[in-house]
């Protein structure tokens, strides 16, 4: 049953840059009451649909790959987004962007809605070669578990400068979890963000090119610049470089998983800045590239974004919770406690505008 | 680390011809060169693992017949 479908970027991918050069009209999503700000990548329509409001659905489904388009749903809108463990949700029928990084997951307004949707879509998919058969879990039942006794690793310094409101609101959330019995401990990512991004990018460019090679060779003039640039990047990658990225991925993932031993979750920012204006092309790319999601796209850990408040300009801030592999119930239980965060639910004031 | 290829217009054009890509104009060639260099630079930043037994993350795993 088709419940509804949304627009997205060409093939749901790009480079993070916005060119608005496609030969059909596109209605820009609003963000904070205006259309003047970047709303994120390919999943921006899905997160916009799921954020709530009159005549809007209570959830949407999206896919998460890494780099430019993976993070969009986890940082811009006031929606909650969840990237389950790699392999937990089958992908048969979804147009692939990158076979070894793509993850399908829900976007919704609450942790409970995420749990309900995950209950419905998780499970082994025999038509997806990367699907993993794990014992079924009752995600909704986990919501009341609380956080008492949980150790949560707080990544105060993710390796790039982070906007003060993003950090302040994340620390506010950490204190809120601590007040409910969680033990907050400092955590440092084992490697720089650049190390994860290099492996993620090589894998993403290579596989995406392999998927769309025929279209690029035959019809690249019909592509927008963002997609064509990505195809061009994948065109010249050597096999040995792709395999180096995949070998490095295994090492990075194992290392990160070991570092998370004993923790119920990590808490860290999604992005280093809040949504920039669409007229600032460099900031739009920086918003995408200077994000902290690549480690978990590489490692396959489940990650969940949640709104934490707003900055001084009324732009939403977000944090991400990262759980142990295939421990979505615990992650959702923590997320449910975050919902009781006494934070502003609406921006202080935003001047409506348009482009 | 591996040697970092430095792409020239001639090298990009030859590579494109070898792999069936038509170059419509100089702007396309310039962009293709820039993107090829971006990929090569990223690849050069990846450590090469010392152990030959270190397998890629995405390895084939056979599934039992359904």
């Amino acid at each position: 049953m088709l419940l509804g479908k949304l627009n997205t970027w060409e093939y749901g991918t790009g480079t993070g840059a916005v060119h608005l050069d496609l030969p059909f009209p596109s209605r820009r999503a609003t963000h904070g009451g205006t259309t003047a700000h970047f709303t994120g990548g390919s999943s921006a329509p899905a997160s916009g649909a799921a954020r709530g409001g009159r005549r809007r659905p209570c959830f949407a489904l999206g896919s998460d790959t890494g780099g430019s388009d993976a993070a969009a749903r986890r940082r811009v809108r006031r929606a909650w987004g969840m990237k389950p463990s790699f392999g937990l949700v089958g992908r048969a029928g979804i147009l692939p962007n990158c076979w070894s990084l793509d993850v399908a997951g829900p976007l919704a307004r609450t942790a409970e809605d995420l749990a309900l949707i995950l209950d419905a879509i998780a499970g082994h998919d025999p038509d997806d070669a990367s699907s993993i058969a794990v014992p079924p879990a009752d995600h909704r039942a986990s919501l009341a578990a609380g956080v008492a006794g949980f150790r949560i690793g707080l990544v105060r310094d993710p390796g790039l400068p982070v906007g003060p409101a993003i950090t302040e609101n994340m620390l506010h959330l950490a204190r809120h979890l601590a007040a409910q019995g969680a033990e907050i401990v400092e955590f440092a990512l084992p490697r720089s963000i650049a190390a994860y991004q290099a492996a993620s990018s090589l894998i993403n460019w290579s596989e995406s090119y392999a998927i769309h090679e025929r279209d690029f060779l035959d019809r690249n003039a019909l592509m927008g610049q963002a997609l064509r640039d990505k195809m061009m990047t994948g065109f010249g990658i050597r096999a040995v470089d792709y395999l180096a990225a995949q070998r490095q991925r295994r090492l990075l993932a194992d290392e990160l998983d070991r570092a998370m031993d004993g923790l119920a979750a990590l808490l860290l920012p999604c992005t280093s800045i809040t949504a920039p204006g669409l007229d600032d092309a460099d900031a739009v790319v920086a918003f995408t590239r200077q994000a902290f999601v690549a480690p978990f796209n590489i490692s396959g850990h489940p990650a969940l974004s949640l709104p934490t408040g707003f900055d001084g300009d009324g732009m939403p801030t977000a944090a991400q919770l990262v759980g142990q592999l295939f421990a979505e119930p615990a992650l959702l239980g923590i997320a449910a406690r975050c919902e009781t965060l006494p934070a502003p639910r609406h921006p202080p004031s935003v001047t409506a505008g348009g482009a | 680390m591996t040697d970092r290829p430095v792409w020239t217009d001639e090298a990009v054009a030859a590579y494109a011809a070898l792999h069936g890509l038509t170059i419509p104009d100089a702007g396309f060639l310039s962009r293709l060169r820039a993107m090829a260099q971006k990929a090569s630079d990223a690849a050069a930043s990846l450590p090469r693992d010392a152990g030959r037994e270190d397998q890629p993350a995405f390895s084939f795993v056979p599934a039992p017949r359904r």
Side-chain angles (χ1 to χ4, degrees):
Chain A
M1 177 185 296
L2 179 64
L3 300 178
K5 58 182 180 181
L6 298 158
N7 195 8
T8 185
W9 292 6
E10 291 177 287
Y11 300 145
T13 192
T15 59
V18 173
H19 301 287
L20 299 174
D21 57 353
L22 297 175
F24 52 79
S26 59
R27 181 176 178 273
R28 286 190 201 161
T30 58
H31 180 58
T34 98
T35 55
H37 287 81
F38 185 45
T39 50
S42 59
S43 292
S47 56
R51 70 179 170 154
R54 194 163 60 92
R55 291 187 298 175
R56 289 181 185 273
C58 65
F59 76 94
L61 299 177
S63 61
D64 195 314
T65 302
S68 65
D69 55 355
R73 69 198 177 101
R74 293 196 265 146
R75 63 193 178 194
V76 180
R77 297 290 192 166
R78 281 174 286 147
W80 295 56
M82 186 171 194
K83 179 188 80 68
S85 301
F86 183 85
L88 182 70
V89 175
R91 306 170 302 179
I94 299 174
L95 178 70
N97 179 30
C98 175
W99 298 291
S100 66
L101 290 171
D102 288 348
V103 175
L107 302 98
R109 301 177 209 171
T110 66
E112 183 178 21
D113 282 347
L114 289 179
L116 284 167
I117 301 306
L118 197 56
D119 276 340
I121 65 176
H124 183 245
D125 179 355
D127 294 321
D128 177 355
S130 297
S131 179
I132 298 171
V134 294
D138 186 341
H139 298 96
R140 192 181 186 196
S142 67
L143 295 171
V147 296
F150 281 6
R151 296 183 81 223
I152 296 175
L154 174 65
V155 184
R156 198 183 293 266
D157 176 11
L160 296 170
V162 178
I166 295 172
T167 298
E168 182 183 327
N169 292 345
M170 179 185 73
L171 295 177
H172 181 50
L173 177 60
R175 289 190 292 270
H176 177 67
L177 292 170
Q180 297 178 72
E183 179 188 0
I184 306 296
V185 298
E186 300 287 337
F187 183 88
L189 293 170
R191 302 288 181 101
S192 69
I193 288 296
Y196 300 101
Q197 286 179 333
S200 171
S201 295
L202 261 293
I203 294 167
N204 192 346
W205 296 331
S206 302
E207 294 191 18
S208 202
Y209 180 74
I211 290 164
H212 302 301
E213 179 184 36
R214 194 73 262 158
D215 284 350
F216 178 66
L217 294 177
D218 293 348
R219 292 183 286 277
N220 60 63
L222 299 178
M223 294 178 172
Q225 186 176 334
L227 177 62
R228 191 165 55 244
D229 278 355
K230 185 176 184 186
M231 295 296 104
M232 284 179 167
T233 312
F235 179 66
I237 293 175
R238 303 179 307 167
V240 70
D241 293 329
Y242 170 74
L243 288 168
Q246 287 286 18
R247 297 174 80 197
Q248 186 64 13
R249 179 188 188 181
R250 187 185 292 282
L251 296 175
L252 292 171
D254 290 349
E255 180 182 61
L256 181 54
D257 193 53
R258 284 196 304 274
M260 290 174 61
D261 188 35
L263 297 175
L266 300 180
L267 174 64
L268 70 164
C270 291
T271 59
S272 56
I273 58 176
T274 55
L278 270 173
D279 56 355
D280 188 343
D282 290 341
V284 166
V285 174
F287 179 72
T288 297
R289 296 298 300 168
Q290 294 173 16
F292 309 110
V293 296
F296 316 107
N297 290 111
I298 281 289
S299 69
H301 288 90
L304 187 154
S305 75
L306 64 162
T308 55
F310 299 89
D311 69 7
D313 296 324
M315 290 293 112
T317 59
Q320 57 177 327
L321 286 167
V322 179
Q324 294 285 354
L325 286 166
F326 301 103
E328 277 77 3
L331 186 62
L332 285 161
I334 298 169
R337 303 314 302 163
C338 294
E339 281 185 310
T340 60
L341 174 73
R345 307 304 295 174
H346 303 284
S349 68
V350 175
T351 303
Chain B
M1 294 287 193
T2 186
D3 292 340
R4 188 184 108 178
V6 177
W7 292 92
T8 62
D9 283 351
E10 293 73 22
V12 171
Y15 182 87
L18 185 64
H19 295 283
L21 177 63
T22 301
I23 307 280
D25 53 46
F28 189 98
L29 178 64
S30 174
R31 195 70 181 168
L32 186 60
R33 176 182 172 181
M35 295 299 111
Q37 196 62 57
K38 174 182 169 183
S40 293
D41 291 349
S45 75
L46 288 171
R48 261 50 179 177
D49 308 315
R52 294 187 180 185
E53 71 282 3
D54 287 337
Q55 295 187 25
F58 201 49
S59 298
F60 174 67
V61 179
R65 182 174 295 170
R66 285 193 261 155

